[in-house]
Amino acid sequence: MDFDVLHELQDIRQGHWAAVTGLLLERLNPQTVALWIRPLQELSFADGVLTVTAPDAYHRKWVLEKYGPELTQAVEHVWPGTRFEIVVRTPGGGGEAPDGSAVQSALETESIPEPAPAQALARAQYHPNLDPRYTFESFVVGSSNQVAHASAIAVAQNPGRTFNPLFIAGGAGLGKTHLLNAIGHAVFRADRRKSIQCIPAERFMNEFVSAIQQGTSIAFKEKYRRVDVLLIDDVHTLAGREATQEEFFHIFNSLHDSGRQIVLTSDKYPKDMPNLEERLRSRFEWGLIADIQPPDLETKMAIIGRKAEPLGLTLPEAVRIFLASLPTANVRDLEGYLQRIRAYSEFQGKPVTLENVQEWLAIHMGQAREASCEEIIKKVADYYNVRPVDLKSSSRKASLTQPRHVAMYLTRELTSLSFPDIGQRFGGKNHATVMHGCDNVRNRMHADPQFAAVLNALKRSLR
Ligand code: ADP
Ligand code: MG
């Protein structure tokens, strides 16, 4: 078996766990993930149990005590109904456990207790599949999102009877995921027996792929055909995934025919999604397409005020105006600024005045300056343990082409350099070579969650 195939297999094996760590990255702070979560490795995923190994008993105990609930929740979120176990790697067992048996026999095993599904759900304040922060109450309505908001409410009050599907389109950080979850919460509150699935399209694809690999695709289909309200986030990521699109098409039809509600979000309109099967595109356009535009100044100010509350921040109006005028429409960025403001005012014991805020954020914006191509090359070379000059060389050694493509891709993503500019900086390559490298990386990211996670981490560290 050649190296690449072996590598791929390993990636698939690690894929279930990688999908969970991807989710944890959104919920735990990066240091926690690096220190406690990354060292866990996938051992097996079978019979409804995802098993990972911890380096030692102490590590395992700490993770279960401190992050047990987040982990159980994340696993449940990615593969509903799946249990999660951490076992301790045997000494000398190494990072890989080629065949779990030897490792497993020598381990102490203990699983996090599974919540009793039906009863727990009846009592739960929030549906386990939904983000508790994202409700209609916490959503600020302005002219930019009014139509999307009103249609989301209509759908939530009368699932399957008004717009079906509801397709919410809009740029990053404008509240699509928020509205999607809000619909789920409202349906859940009105009737707890309703079965709700809220899942990013990317995770839907991963689940589908592993169902095929494990011969459980019938169960997969059944599970989705049973739901009353199917909420799929970021369907633009289905582009180019023919097998998943095909499966989704059938699930869509079966749900739609029986009057169940489907809500989709996307950063593109159906008509602008390349590599989307025609029949799926036309399905997406059957109901209502509601778009969310970037918020205007007043709406931004209101959102900022709302987001400041749970942080315990009181913002003078001058500060809200200043923040709302910053050149970003992405509410996630604005939330980042608020976190920063709170941290600084706490650490320095200073009040939140316009002057202080400008000073605190100037540092932040300094950090947000564009990374240089040289920095990117150095970082990537360090990560892959090669020399920066090697990345600029034209050597075709397999150990260099991947890091080189990664560096090209990151340069394209993080700087304003054009393809020919990038070629120049990588030892005078032509623009087609750079484009090809970037495409390679993008394809691999699609196919391989772990690789995508590495790239995202590199990207973050360069920002
Ligand atoms: P998207 O899915 O469109 O990329 P999200 O729904 O994840 O964006 O929103 C990013 C962040 O911004 C979330 O914390 C969300 O609560 C917040 N947000 C966006 N729009 C609004 C709004 N109108 N009111 C309150 N919060 C908002
Ligand atoms: Mg989103």
Side-chain angles (χ1 to χ4, degrees):
M1 200 184 291
D2 76 9
F3 177 76
D4 276 352
V5 176
L6 238 165
H7 210 76
E8 297 257 299
L9 277 180
Q10 269 173 16
D11 287 345
I12 290 169
R13 272 174 43 114
Q14 292 290 332
H16 305 103
W17 177 235
V20 175
T21 48
L23 189 66
L24 287 168
L25 263 180
E26 295 165 14
R27 310 221 160 143
L28 300 173
N29 78 44
Q31 282 94 331
T32 303
V33 174
L35 211 57
W36 297 106
I37 307 297
R38 290 269 179 240
L40 304 175
Q41 292 178 355
E42 181 165 341
L43 177 65
S44 60
F45 183 74
D47 305 326
V49 185
L50 171 63
T51 309
V52 302
T53 63
D56 56 40
Y58 174 74
H59 194 113
R60 173 175 171 282
K61 184 162 175 287
W62 179 273
V63 170
L64 285 181
E65 274 172 17
K66 299 282 175 186
Y67 313 110
E70 283 90 349
L71 278 163
T72 320
Q73 216 187 17
V75 171
E76 174 66 28
H77 198 114
V78 184
W79 290 280
T82 301
R83 244 171 353 112
F84 173 67
E85 287 184 356
I86 305 183
V87 297
V88 179
R89 223 170 293 156
T90 42
E96 292 296 332
D99 133 38
S101 55
V103 181
Q104 211 140 21
S105 59
L107 306 165
E108 42 160 335
T109 309
E110 185 189 307
S111 47
I112 302 174
E114 203 180 346
Q119 289 160 8
L121 204 59
R123 266 183 278 113
Q125 196 182 353
Y126 295 107
H127 192 282
N129 269 340
L130 301 169
D131 192 318
R133 293 170 303 171
Y134 298 160
T135 59
F136 281 125
E137 291 76 25
S138 63
F139 191 82
V140 175
V141 186
S143 54
S144 57
N145 57 32
Q146 202 172 341
V147 173
H149 174 258
S151 22
I153 295 219
V155 157
Q157 286 174 343
N158 239 329
R161 305 256 169 75
T162 50
F163 316 113
N164 205 9
L166 172 62
F167 190 101
I168 304 175
L174 298 186
K176 302 182 295 295
T177 301
H178 190 137
L179 277 182
L180 194 69
N181 278 268
I183 294 173
H185 285 301
V187 171
F188 180 64
R189 271 185 226 158
D191 181 354
R192 298 193 165 215
R193 287 160 311 176
K194 282 244 157 52
S195 151
I196 302 165
Q197 268 296 339
C198 180
I199 183 171
E202 189 96 45
R203 214 167 287 151
F204 177 84
M205 283 186 283
N206 291 342
E207 228 184 89
F208 174 58
V209 170
S210 56
I212 291 180
Q213 282 165 355
Q214 292 171 24
T216 54
S217 47
I218 298 194
F220 174 85
K221 286 176 211 185
E222 279 310 304
K223 173 175 137 188
Y224 283 99
R225 286 180 190 181
R226 270 201 319 262
V227 305
D228 295 305
V229 177
L230 180 61
L231 309 167
I232 303 239
D233 207 3
D234 293 328
V235 287
H236 53 268
T237 56
L238 286 175
R241 311 291 298 248
E242 278 105 33
T244 318
Q245 284 185 23
E246 162 98 26
E247 195 51 52
F248 185 57
F249 176 77
H250 293 301
I251 292 172
F252 185 105
N253 285 344
S254 133
L255 291 176
H256 197 273
D257 288 349
S258 51
R260 312 312 164 74
Q261 180 67 46
I262 301 161
V263 184
L264 311 160
T265 74
S266 168
D267 70 1
K268 294 188 187 69
Y269 291 100
K271 68 176 169 45
D272 299 328
M273 286 165 67
N275 306 322
L276 180 68
E277 259 195 74
E278 210 38 56
R279 51 184 188 164
L280 206 50
R281 185 192 321 275
S282 79
R283 292 294 185 282
F284 287 178
E285 290 169 341
W286 265 357
L288 177 75
I289 300 181
D291 76 350
I292 308 188
Q293 293 294 328
D296 53 32
L297 192 78
E298 279 87 65
T299 311
K300 263 202 211 173
M301 282 176 64
I303 296 176
I304 290 166
R306 189 68 69 80
K307 293 286 173 190
E309 282 165 22
L311 295 174
L313 278 176
T314 318
L315 305 177
E317 174 149 38
V319 170
R320 285 195 291 135
I321 295 177
F322 168 72
L323 291 175
S325 340
L326 291 173
T328 177
N330 186 328
V331 178
R332 213 172 289 122
D333 292 348
L334 296 172
E335 289 186 275
Y337 297 148
L338 291 174
Q339 301 271 10
R340 177 108 190 160
I341 292 171
R342 185 181 68 166
Y344 267 78
S345 79
E346 255 174 42
F347 291 149
Q348 300 187 347
K350 288 191 190 164
V352 181
T353 60
L354 179 59
E355 205 176 27
N356 287 338
V357 166
Q358 280 170 335
E359 182 192 316
W360 297 331
L361 293 188
I363 305 170
H364 182 69
M365 297 185 181
Q367 279 175 1
R369 72 172 168 50
E370 200 173 279
S372 76
C373 180
E374 286 306 314
E375 266 174 276
I376 295 171
I377 290 179
K378 168 137 195 349
K379 188 104 206 173
V380 173
D382 280 352
Y383 178 81
Y384 283 97
N385 234 331
V386 296
R387 296 174 310 165
V389 285
D390 293 333
L391 298 189
K392 299 182 192 172
S393 74
S394 42
S395 155
R396 293 179 178 233
K397 271 212 278 207
S399 58
L400 295 179
T401 43
Q402 168 137 324
R404 183 179 301 130
H405 289 169
V406 165
M408 288 172 170
Y409 168 83
L410 288 174
T411 307
R412 178 68 187 167
E413 289 279 302
L414 297 175
T415 70
S416 41
L417 296 174
S418 65
F419 286 123
D421 289 341
I422 298 174
Q424 277 312 314
R425 288 175 170 72
F426 280 79
K429 301 192 169 51
N430 71 28
H431 76 282
T433 310
V434 180
M435 281 167 82
H436 166 74
C438 293
D439 282 346
N440 267 349
V441 171
R442 223 168 280 122
N443 291 340
R444 171 119 197 248
M445 281 173 81
H446 261 298
D448 176 352
Q450 185 147 17
F451 179 70
V454 165
L455 278 218
N456 288 331
L458 281 171
K459 207 191 261 185
R460 260 196 303 279
S461 72
L462 283 159
R463 277 215 175 108

